[in-house]
Amino acid sequence: MQDLDAAVPLIEKYKDQLLAIGEVGLDFSPRFASTDTQREEQRLVLIRQVEIAKRLNLPLNVHSRSAGRPTINLLKEQEAEKVLLHAFDGKPSVALEGVKAGYFFSIPPSIVRSGQKQKLVKQLPLEFMCLETDSPALGPEKQVRNEPRNILVSAEYIANVKGVSVEKVMEVTTQNALKLFPKLQKFLRV
């Protein structure tokens, strides 16, 4: 919490230049949260980050690890509104609870080798998906550096599953990203 307290004045000072608060989230893997006390500390930090995002009217970029349901539940309890769940590793049924709350889910190129991500895409509505590369991680090949150009891998996979064109996936996911991150508009060439 001390690190967050120290960062808050900078976040507030530069809020107009910030696109989002994140990457934030819960990591309940044994390496980072082997005790209830450690999990509760993470919950308290995420609650504070949600409060900051709401107060500054900024979206949240959330990465949960081994904590899909607790993360969605906390976000809903805290009435988080603008949320992107990046690299979500939970069950599709839990993700659909997030969709009901209006949350978006980004899909990385690692979808081609992840049964969990493939199940997620089959169930999620396209209107709640974004594309991501998470370079240099989460590429189509394990242990190979991911590149931004691999975003097309995600778009092609989603298009195939949803039975729509790649162009449609790119159009809808871009509009989703602009809804979630409206400040992005100023960086786009029209």
Side-chain angles (χ1 to χ4, degrees):
M1 192 68 84
Q2 287 175 309
D3 291 342
L4 180 58
D5 290 338
V8 168
L10 279 173
I11 294 168
E12 290 173 338
K13 180 178 179 180
Y14 294 103
K15 69 177 191 240
D16 293 334
Q17 283 92 8
L18 297 176
L19 294 179
I21 299 293
E23 177 168 322
V24 301
L26 302 176
D27 185 340
F28 286 178
S29 62
R31 181 175 170 206
F32 292 104
S34 58
T35 68
D36 288 341
T37 301
Q38 290 171 323
R39 286 187 282 279
E40 185 57 25
E41 287 172 3
Q42 287 188 32
R43 282 182 44 79
L44 293 174
V45 170
L46 183 54
I47 288 169
R48 180 90 189 283
Q49 291 165 328
V50 170
E51 290 168 353
I52 293 166
K54 286 170 56 177
R55 182 167 46 84
L56 299 179
N57 195 29
L58 289 169
L60 285 161
N61 181 16
V62 179
H63 185 172
S64 64
R65 184 174 287 136
S66 301
R69 184 174 300 281
T71 299
I72 296 280
N73 287 345
L74 183 146
L75 293 168
K76 287 170 38 181
E77 288 164 11
Q78 298 303 310
E79 299 178 352
E81 294 174 6
K82 301 175 190 174
V83 175
L84 176 69
L85 287 129
H86 140 79
F88 185 76
D89 69 354
K91 294 180 179 179
S93 60
V94 176
L96 290 172
E97 292 175 31
V99 166
K100 288 178 189 167
Y103 304 158
F104 292 86
F105 293 79
S106 57
I107 309 301
S110 63
I111 188 170
V112 298
R113 58 182 173 84
S114 168
Q116 181 270 337
K117 299 277 183 290
Q118 293 168 8
K119 289 176 186 172
L120 196 62
V121 163
K122 285 178 183 168
Q123 302 240 353
L124 287 176
L126 183 57
E127 294 73 24
F128 289 90
M129 284 188 224
C130 291
L131 302 176
E132 71 163 306
T133 62
D134 199 36
S135 294
L138 299 181
E141 297 177 62
K142 197 172 182 93
Q143 311 265 315
V144 175
R145 181 182 172 84
N146 193 14
E147 300 290 336
R149 69 176 175 244
N150 286 335
I151 201 162
L152 188 56
V153 171
S154 299
E156 289 170 344
Y157 191 93
I158 294 167
N160 186 46
V161 168
K162 297 296 185 187
V164 298
S165 69
V166 172
E167 292 76 17
K168 179 71 172 176
V169 170
M170 291 168 45
E171 175 188 325
V172 172
T173 57
T174 297
Q175 289 308 310
N176 293 344
L178 290 171
K179 277 185 229 168
L180 190 55
F181 306 108
K183 291 180 187 176
L184 280 176
Q185 188 68 48
K186 66 183 172 188
F187 298 107
L188 296 178
R189 291 181 286 234
V190 188

